[in-house]
């Protein structure tokens, strides 16, 4: 996760924001640096450590466990999979509802701003996981889990047998595959040679299960 936090120093795109503060990401070996109080129970510290012989800056926020006023929330730039926005810009969008501390939470495509990893909030999947990268997940029991996840989906029409859904809110490379684009995509669906587009209305959100 440290690598994900450090990416915000370079790309500043999407963040993990909370309705009061962000959950702490602390490496035990980095203890001893001076902390700055942000608000009661919440502190910030800037640490410089060596990684491969090179100095690396870590920004660490500590907070109470998620409960009551404290909550960890993922936020998409502009609320969509496409597009780019700085972390301060994302914080400004929810400033009227919360006091926030934000950190970058994902890599993205420079051309389109398309996120490269999973985005799941309130059981609704907006961006699928990458099978080549780990992801951070906050469970319903408030446990934080870092693991590799994979998307398994099917689609079915009428009495026909269920078939595999290759992609969700992702461009598809082969003309024989199926990709489902939801409103969370945030723009026109990408063109593909030989592809057929079908618009489906009145469907519920793309939830797990």
């Amino acid at each position: 996760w440290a690598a994900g936090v450090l990416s915000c120093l370079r790309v500043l795109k999407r963040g993990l924001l909370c309705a009061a503060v962000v959950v702490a990401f602390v490496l035990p070996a980095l203890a001893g640096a001076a902390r700055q109080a942000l608000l009661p129970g919440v502190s910030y510290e800037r640490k410089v450590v060596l990684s491969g012989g090179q100095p690396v800056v870590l920004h660490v926020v500590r907070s109470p466990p998620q409960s009551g006023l404290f909550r960890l929330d993922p936020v998409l730039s502009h609320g969509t999979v496409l597009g780019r926005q700085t972390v301060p810009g994302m914080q400004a969008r929810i400033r009227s509802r919360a006091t926030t501390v934000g950190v970058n939470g994902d890599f993205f495509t420079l051309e389109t701003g398309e996120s490269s990893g999973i985005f799941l909030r309130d059981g609704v999947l907006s961006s699928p996981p990458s099978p080549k990268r780990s992801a951070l997940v906050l469970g319903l029991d408030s446990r934080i889990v870092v693991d590799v996840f994979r998307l398994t989906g099917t689609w079915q029409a009428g009495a026909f047998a269920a078939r595999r859904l290759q992609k969700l809110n992702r461009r598809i490379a082969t003309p024989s595959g199926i990709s489902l684009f939801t409103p969370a995509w945030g723009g026109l669906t990408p063109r593909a040679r030989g592809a057929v587009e079908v618009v489906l209305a009145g469907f519920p959100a793309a939830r797990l299960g």
Side-chain angles (χ1 to χ4, degrees):
W1 177 245
V5 174
L6 290 175
S7 70
C8 74
L9 304 177
R10 300 189 302 271
V11 298
L12 287 177
K13 196 260 182 173
R14 61 191 64 244
L16 289 173
L17 305 181
C18 65
V21 292
V22 76
V23 166
F25 301 100
V26 182
L27 301 181
L30 305 180
R35 300 181 191 178
Q36 176 185 355
L38 301 179
L39 61 150
V42 181
S43 65
Y44 161 79
E45 57 189 304
R46 179 181 183 275
K47 297 183 177 182
V48 180
V49 298
L50 292 179
S51 176
Q54 299 295 322
V56 176
V57 176
L58 298 181
H59 299 274
V60 181
V61 175
R62 289 178 169 86
S63 80
Q66 174 167 282
S67 63
L69 295 176
F70 298 96
R71 180 178 172 186
L72 177 66
D73 272 342
V75 176
L76 280 172
S77 58
H78 300 292
T80 60
V81 174
L82 293 181
R84 296 183 294 271
Q85 191 176 20
T86 64
V87 172
M90 297 166 69
Q91 290 176 281
R93 280 178 35 224
I94 61 174
R95 184 176 297 159
S96 62
R97 308 193 309 269
T99 299
T100 65
V101 176
V103 296
N104 189 69
D106 195 8
F107 297 105
F108 64 98
T109 303
L110 286 174
E111 293 78 13
T112 65
E114 182 179 341
S115 59
S116 62
I118 186 173
F119 186 90
L120 175 70
R121 183 173 61 192
D122 298 329
V124 178
L125 186 65
S126 300
S127 180
S130 169
K132 297 181 180 180
R133 288 179 47 211
S134 59
L136 182 145
V137 174
L138 181 66
L140 296 176
D141 57 359
S142 295
R143 288 189 307 128
I144 293 179
V145 177
V146 177
D147 206 339
V148 177
F149 301 88
R150 287 175 172 80
L151 173 66
T152 300
T154 60
W155 65 278
Q156 186 173 2
F160 292 96
R163 299 188 180 186
R164 181 186 171 213
L165 179 69
Q166 279 84 358
K167 303 283 186 178
L168 183 139
N169 287 333
R170 284 288 187 271
R171 295 169 172 80
I172 196 159
T174 60
S176 60
I178 296 289
S179 182
L180 172 65
F181 289 89
T182 72
W185 172 253
L188 297 176
T189 53
R191 292 183 176 182
R193 180 176 299 177
V196 176
E197 295 187 5
V198 179
V199 179
L200 307 174
F203 276 66
R207 293 184 178 273
L208 298 184

